[in-house]
Each structure stands twice: as structure tokens, then as C-alpha cells.
Amino acid sequence: MTAPLAYIPRIRDYYVALGYGEPYRWARHGDVPFAPLRKPLREARIAIVTTAVRHDPARGAQGPGAAYNGAAKFFAVYSDTTATDPDLRIAHIAYDRDHTDATDQGSWFPLRALRRLAAAGEIGAVAPRFHGLPTNRSQRITREVDAPEIVARCRADGVDAVVLVPNCPVCHQSCALAAHALEAAGISTVLMGCALDLVEHIGVPRLLFSDFPLGNGAGLPHDPGAQLASARMAVMLLAAAKRPRTTWRSPQVWSGRTDWKRDYSNAALLTAEEIATRRAAFDAAKRDARSG
């Protein structure tokens, strides 16, 4: 088993190669709030917070095989019912498009797996709504606007705990900051993520780490059994953790190509033309964010 990919230095070197100056400063916390789960799992109502977006065909190509599409990005918290299966897409600029085909929603949105746990009596219930959290490079906006809104909606739904599933690197930061706000409000959280060094740098109450390409935080694609096992580990961690910064590592092994850690945002593998193309795409993404 290889070591986890170190995202912080890889991303730093990548954006330096694209011609940006000062590296992005990730959030970092000495103190991490921690709220013990107040009910047994079999009685707990659990919500999902996702950074995926509801599919809107009017916004252009999204999801499987699509290039980055800034028009699909969302900028405000949204909520939707868990009574039916939504059509969610991961449209972020920095999830692993080379090794993630984004054809199985269950690998980034654990609703079906949590329903199975509720039906088996392993958790009390899935909350009536899930909530969409924007991927925001502005830590201030996440802390002051988006995270409080997530807390308010989870309180309104009588939630005992929240499973947060990010996709891209900034998603991991946004979910970590939302987890801080939820825990400070007395709601237990667990983050299902794939960027170990980034999340542990920021600091979260509980992390279930899967050593998979970004975009697969909820489990192996097209493997409902593995997704159920991932969801089960996540909710067990909700109950088992006794202190913040508790990380469990999933024993599951990535089922796709093994060269994804070498390939991800590796500037050393790119031609000058590819670097210029990616720079243009990132500049476009920033314009979309400013206009949103």
C-alpha cells in the first residue's frame, strides 16, 4: 500500500508552475471543536452535507466526461429532499477527472448507503433533507455565511449528526469549516474525504479517510457493498471518537488504475501548452466565482 498523496505541496507546486505567485493559504486550527454524539447510533438522525451540485441541463455539460464548466458552480447553500434520489454532479475544477469517471453518484453521495443503514436499524434515520455546501476559496464567506446557514438548516431538521462529503481540495476545506460550526452548535460530524494531509492540516473532529482519487469520498464507484461499508465506518466513527482530530483509514483499496497519485496535478508531467491551457481554465473559474 502506497503512502497517501500529499496534496498541499502538490497543489502548491502546480499553481506555481501555472504562473501564480503566493501559494494559497489553507485554514489551520490549533483548537478543534468536538461534540460527542448525544444519542446511540440506532436513534440518531443523520444528515448529509455535499459539495455536489444539482444537475441543470440548461447550464451545459456536467458530470461524466465533461470538462470543467464554471456555469454549473453554485454559490449559496441549497437543500433538497432525501425521500427521492436527486441527480447530483461533481463539477469542480480540481477533482480527479483523469481517474474518476463520475458515473456513480454513490461514490460521492452516500444517501442510498445511509438509507440501508437506517432500514437495518444501525442508525435511527436519514434526515428529511440533504444540504449543498458551496466550494468557496474565501474562508471568511464559508465561516460567516455558508457554515452558519448549514447549522441553521440542520437544527431545523432536528439533526443529531452530519456526514460531510467533499470532492475537490477546496471542498475539503469548506466541509472542514462547516464541521467546526456544526460541532460548536452541538451537532456531531464526520468528514468522508480523500485528502488526508489537507484535512489533518486544517483539523476536523472526525475523518474517515479513503485513499482514492478525489471525487470518491463515499466509497468505490459501482460497488454498493463497498459504499455501504464506507458509510458504516463513517457512522461508527461518529459514536466511537472520544476527542477531536480522530482519523480512521478505510482498508479499501482503489479498484482503478494505480498511477493516479503520480498523475494528479503534477506539473512535471505537463507540456508548456498544457500548462497554458490549465492556466486559462483556472482564470475562467475565478471569473465565474467573482460574478456568482
Side-chain angles (χ1 to χ4, degrees):
M1 184 176 294
T2 61
L5 175 58
Y7 282 95
I8 292 175
R10 178 67 64 83
I11 293 168
R12 179 196 62 217
D13 294 347
Y14 178 73
Y15 285 109
V16 167
L18 264 59
Y20 296 103
E22 186 71 18
Y24 181 73
R25 294 185 180 181
W26 300 99
R28 191 164 196 175
H29 299 270
D31 295 323
V32 176
F34 183 78
L37 188 63
R38 293 174 294 185
K39 292 181 180 179
L41 274 176
R42 65 180 181 276
E43 299 175 9
R45 174 179 283 190
I46 298 177
I48 302 169
V49 167
T50 179
T51 59
V53 63
R54 291 178 290 196
H55 181 225
D56 180 354
R59 292 178 176 263
Q62 303 151 53
Y68 174 68
N69 174 7
K73 186 176 175 68
F74 67 99
F75 299 94
V77 171
Y78 73 87
S79 300
D80 209 339
T81 180
T82 58
T84 56
D85 290 322
D87 182 0
L88 300 183
R89 307 291 175 97
I90 49 176
H92 312 83
I93 194 168
Y95 83 86
D96 193 336
R97 282 182 169 76
D98 294 329
H99 297 271
T100 299
D101 64 15
T103 55
D104 180 13
Q105 181 171 286
S107 65
W108 67 82
F109 186 64
L111 177 56
R112 291 181 181 177
L114 288 175
R115 281 192 193 129
R116 290 176 66 183
L117 294 179
E122 296 183 48
I123 63 174
V126 178
R129 299 186 296 174
F130 71 89
H131 309 291
L133 174 68
T135 302
N136 205 319
R137 289 173 62 85
S138 170
Q139 298 168 29
R140 180 187 62 81
I141 292 176
T142 299
R143 288 191 176 102
E144 297 179 6
V145 178
D146 299 332
E149 184 63 25
I150 290 287
V151 171
R153 296 185 189 209
C154 287
R155 278 179 164 164
D157 291 345
V159 165
D160 300 300
V162 176
V163 174
L164 303 103
V165 190
N167 294 295
C168 73
V170 176
C171 289
H172 281 71
Q173 176 175 263
S174 297
C175 284
L177 297 180
H180 283 214
L182 287 160
E183 298 270 344
I187 299 172
S188 304
T189 66
V190 59
L191 192 151
M192 300 177 75
C194 298
L196 178 66
D197 70 318
L198 205 161
V199 175
E200 291 191 335
H201 173 90
I202 298 167
V204 295
R206 304 166 190 80
L207 167 64
L208 175 65
F209 168 63
S210 295
D211 198 9
F212 302 156
L214 293 174
N216 299 281
L220 291 168
H222 305 291
D223 189 336
Q227 293 166 13
L228 178 63
S230 292
R232 180 176 286 120
M233 282 187 283
V235 300
M236 289 176 63
L237 178 52
L238 280 169
K242 304 302 180 186
R243 60 186 63 85
R245 298 183 182 272
T246 299
T247 296
W248 283 4
R249 298 191 183 201
S250 169
Q252 296 178 18
V253 177
W254 179 242
S255 55
R257 287 162 44 198
T258 59
D259 54 358
W260 64 270
K261 293 179 185 178
R262 180 204 66 186
D263 294 346
Y264 181 79
S265 291
N266 190 342
L269 303 179
L270 301 176
T271 66
E273 182 179 0
E274 288 170 330
I275 287 174
T277 298
R278 295 194 182 201
R279 167 69 188 246
F282 191 72
D283 286 344
K286 290 196 295 183
R287 289 193 296 271
D288 290 339
R290 285 195 295 268
S291 63

